Amino acid sequence: MKNCIYLNTDREMPLLGLGMYKATGAGEAEAAIQAAVNAGYRLIDTASAYKNEENVGRGIASCGIPRKDLFVTTKIWNTAQRLGDVRGAFERSLERLRLDYVDLYLIHWPVPGCYLSTWKELEGILDSGRALSIGVSNFEIRHLEELKKVSGIVPAVNQIECHPLFYNKELIDYCQSNGIQVQAYAPLARGAYLDHDVTCVLGTKYARTPAQIGLRWAVQKGISVIPKSVNPDRIISNSQIFDFSIEEEDMAILDTLNQNYRSASIPEDLRDIKF
C-alpha cells in the first residue's frame, strides 16, 4: 500500500483512513466509503459503539476494492467488557460487517477492572486469525504499563485524540519508543483549529487548507490519521496531504498550539476516571 507504516505485527497500515463516527444516516456510510476509496483511501475505521457496522459492511462490499486491499478497524465497547462478552461482541461485529476477519481490533476504552482481562481475550482472537492485529484506544501510559505486566503482546496501535490543540507528546513518545503505532482520531479537533491564526497563515504559506496543515503535521510525525467526514469534497481534500512537507520550524510552531484541548467526549460511564 502507498503511504503506509508497518505495525509491530509486520502488517502495513495506511497513514490516512476514513473515520466513520456518527455516520448513521441512510446510505451515509456507504456513500462516504465510495467517495473515500475513489480518493485513494484504503483504511476504514468503525466501532460497535458507532451503531453503523452494518452500513459500513455494505459500503465495503459495494465499493469495488478487493477485501485484501482494505484495512478495516473496529472496536469493543465498554458494556461488553463489563459483561465479559468479548468473544461474543467480536463475533457480532464480524457478522454486522459481513467480514471473515478485521485488520485491527481495538479496546475502545480502558474500563477499570476489565481491560486487562479483555486484552487476554483479544490475544485469543489474534491467535484465531480473525483479527490480524490487536490494539487499544484512549490508553494512557499507566494503562499500557499495566498491560505490559500481564502480556507479552504489545498493542499494535494506540488510537488517541491527537491534533495541534491536543498534543500529548509524552504519551506519543512512549508509544513510539515501545513499538506502538499512534493513530489520531478527531485529528481536525471537530474544526476547532481551522480558523486559528497559525493554521491559516501556514495554510496560505503552503497553499493548503488549515485542515490539510493539521493532518500533515500529524502524519509528518509518523502518526496515522482518521478524519471523519461524509462530505465527498472534504474527504478528497483531507487526502491531499502527501505531496508537500511542512518545514521543521513551522512544525515546531504548530507544536506550541497545544492546549490539551479534548474535542471528543469521554463516555458517561468513565467521566469520573482520570485520563
Side-chain angles (χ1 to χ4, degrees):
M1 292 183 190
K2 192 178 177 183
N3 300 315
C4 291
I5 36 80
Y6 276 95
L7 302 178
N8 61 25
T9 50
D10 288 331
R11 296 189 177 276
E12 284 185 317
M13 183 176 78
L15 277 167
L16 172 71
L18 179 68
M20 299 306 298
Y21 177 62
K22 286 192 173 179
T24 55
E28 199 171 46
E30 295 91 327
I33 289 170
Q34 190 64 62
V37 299
N38 290 347
Y41 290 67
R42 293 296 180 266
L43 190 160
I44 310 297
D45 178 275
T46 187
S48 61
Y50 300 169
K51 306 299 183 187
N52 63 8
E53 286 175 314
E54 290 181 347
N55 300 359
V56 169
R58 284 193 293 270
I60 290 169
S62 64
C63 73
I65 303 297
R67 171 68 186 95
K68 65 181 178 60
D69 295 331
L70 292 174
F71 190 105
V72 181
T73 301
T74 193
K75 313 173 192 79
I76 184 168
W77 186 240
N78 305 347
T79 309
Q81 290 192 64
R82 290 194 175 96
L83 293 173
D85 188 26
V86 179
R87 299 294 182 110
F90 177 72
E91 294 291 349
R92 290 190 294 275
S93 284
L94 280 187
E95 287 173 13
R96 289 190 290 262
L97 289 164
R98 297 195 286 178
L99 297 177
D100 296 325
Y101 70 95
V102 293
D103 297 271
L104 180 63
Y105 195 50
L106 302 178
I107 299 177
H108 208 149
W109 287 88
V111 177
C114 298
Y115 68 88
L116 296 179
S117 58
T118 298
W119 183 253
K120 300 305 286 186
E121 292 292 326
L122 260 62
E123 290 181 351
I125 291 170
L126 178 68
D127 286 341
S128 76
R130 292 173 299 159
L132 303 186
S133 299
I134 56 174
V136 297
S137 183
N138 299 297
F139 275 47
E140 296 290 345
I141 292 173
R142 59 193 173 91
H143 303 120
L144 295 167
E145 282 290 306
E146 287 299 312
L147 214 57
K148 189 188 293 186
K149 292 175 184 176
V150 302
S151 176
I153 296 180
V154 178
V157 170
N158 187 14
Q159 190 182 105
I160 58 174
E161 179 167 357
C162 179
H163 45 74
L165 302 182
F166 191 11
Y167 176 37
N168 190 339
K169 188 175 187 303
E170 183 183 10
L171 174 59
I172 291 167
D173 287 349
Y174 173 93
C175 288
Q176 293 180 337
S177 65
N178 282 274
I180 302 169
Q181 175 63 40
V182 177
Q183 186 172 64
Y185 71 79
L188 301 176
R190 310 284 195 258
Y193 64 80
L194 301 189
D195 58 356
H196 194 286
D197 289 348
V198 169
T199 55
C200 288
V201 167
L202 291 179
T204 299
K205 176 179 177 177
Y206 292 96
R208 300 287 165 161
T209 66
Q212 290 168 338
I213 294 296
L215 294 173
R216 179 65 203 181
W217 168 85
V219 299
Q220 207 160 304
K221 290 179 178 292
I223 298 169
S224 172
V225 292
I226 47 170
K228 178 264 174 181
S229 182
V230 294
N231 180 294
D233 291 336
R234 284 198 289 271
I235 288 171
I236 293 168
S237 179
N238 290 342
S239 73
Q240 296 169 339
I241 57 174
F242 295 106
D243 58 348
F244 78 106
S245 294
I246 299 173
E247 295 170 7
E248 284 307 308
E249 56 265 34
D250 293 332
M251 289 288 287
I253 290 170
L254 287 164
D255 289 354
T256 69
L257 300 188
N258 179 49
Q259 306 168 10
N260 294 321
Y261 171 77
R262 187 185 289 275
S263 67
S265 60
I266 295 173
E268 286 185 15
D269 60 344
L270 296 177
R271 284 181 187 167
D272 293 334
I273 299 165
K274 180 182 179 295
F275 282 96

